[in-house]
Amino acid sequence: GEDVEQSLFLSVREGDSSVINCTYTDSSSTYLYWYKQEPGAGLQLLTYIFSNMDMKQDQRLTVLLNKKDKHLSLRIADTQTGDSAIYFCATRRDTGRRALTFGSGTRLQVQP
Amino acid sequence: EAGVVQSPRYKIIEKKQPVAFWCNPISGHNTLYWYLQNLGQGPELLIRYENEEAVDDSQLPKDRFSAERLKGVDSTLKIQPAELGDSAVYLCASSLGGGKAEAFFGQGTRLTVV
C-alpha cells in the first residue's frame, strides 16, 4: 500500500534554515503537499508541488522533489519561533483513490 | 471567505453512547473528506465524497460509523455506539474536485470517550 515516512523531530535555532524530509512509496503520486499543524488546530496547507516539477519556491518556503528517489523536502529559510509546529507531508494521486495519504509528521522546535 | 467549519470543537461522551460531528465545507467545494487523527499520527481517511456520493469509504468501520452528505454540501459523521478507542480528532476537509489540488481542513472535533 501507499506509505509516507518522515523523521519525528527537528530542532533548529531561530534564524537558521530548517529542512524537513519525507519519502513516499506511491510512484503514481501526482501532487505532494506540506501541511502545518499547530497545537489544538487543524491542518494548514503551506504549499504543494506537481510531480512533474522538481522545485517550487514560495517566500521563505522551498520544496524540492526527487521523483526518482521518491523524496520530498521542505526548506524554511530564516526560521522563526512561530514556525514551531508539526509538519505533515502528504501525497495524492490524480486518478482512482484521490485521497491524501499523510506521514506521521515532523515536530519542528525553534529555539530562540 | 469562510474556511471549512466543524462543530463541535470538543466532545466528551461515555462509551456506548452515540455521537455526531458536523462539517460545512468551503462554498463550491464538491469534494469532502472525513479524516481520523490519532495522537502523534497523521490523518487517515475515513470517507471521501464527490458531491453527495461516497466514492471511497473502504476505511470506514461500517459496523459503528456512518456518514451522510445529503444535498452535496454539509456532512455529518456519526458513531454509534462509541468505544474508548474512538477517542481522537476527527477532521473534515474539502476541495474543489475535478482534479484541483488544494485540500483545506477544518479545525477538527476532539472526541474523548470515557
Side-chain angles (χ1 to χ4, degrees), chain A residues 34-58:
Chain A
W34 285 104
Y35 282 86
K36 175 184 181 183
Q37 188 174 39
E38 297 181 86
L43 277 72
Q44 175 193 351
L45 177 62
L46 290 177
T47 187
Y48 67 95
I49 190 169
F50 290 99
S51 58
N52 61 359
M53 300 169 64
D54 52 19
M55 188 183 87
K56 181 178 181 180
Q57 189 159 357
D58 184 0

Side-chain angles (χ1 to χ4, degrees), chain B residues 15-88:
Chain B
K15 62 181 180 182
K16 301 184 182 180
Q17 293 303 305
V19 65
F21 315 124
W22 177 80
C23 172
N24 190 17
I26 293 172
S27 178
H29 281 198
N30 298 323
T31 304
L32 184 146
Y33 310 82
W34 282 103
Y35 280 86
L36 166 69
Q37 186 177 23
N38 286 305
L39 188 64
Q41 300 293 318
E44 299 173 8
L45 180 73
L46 288 172
I47 190 168
R48 174 171 68 95
Y49 282 93
E50 296 289 345
N51 299 302
E52 65 273 11
E53 182 182 359
V55 296
D56 185 352
D57 63 355
S58 58
Q59 304 302 312
L60 189 73
K62 296 182 185 65
D63 56 337
R64 297 184 300 107
F65 286 66
S66 64
E68 60 183 17
R69 193 185 185 198
L70 292 175
K71 296 183 179 179
V73 181
D74 56 355
S75 176
T76 303
L77 177 69
K78 298 178 182 177
I79 308 174
Q80 182 170 10
E83 297 178 351
L84 295 176
D86 296 330
S87 296

Side-chain angles (χ1 to χ4, degrees), chain A residues 22-37:
Chain A
C22 168
T23 58
Y24 59 96
T25 59
D26 186 0
S27 57
S28 297
S29 298
T30 304
Y31 307 103
L32 300 108
Y33 303 81
W34 285 104
Y35 282 86
K36 175 184 181 183
Q37 188 174 39

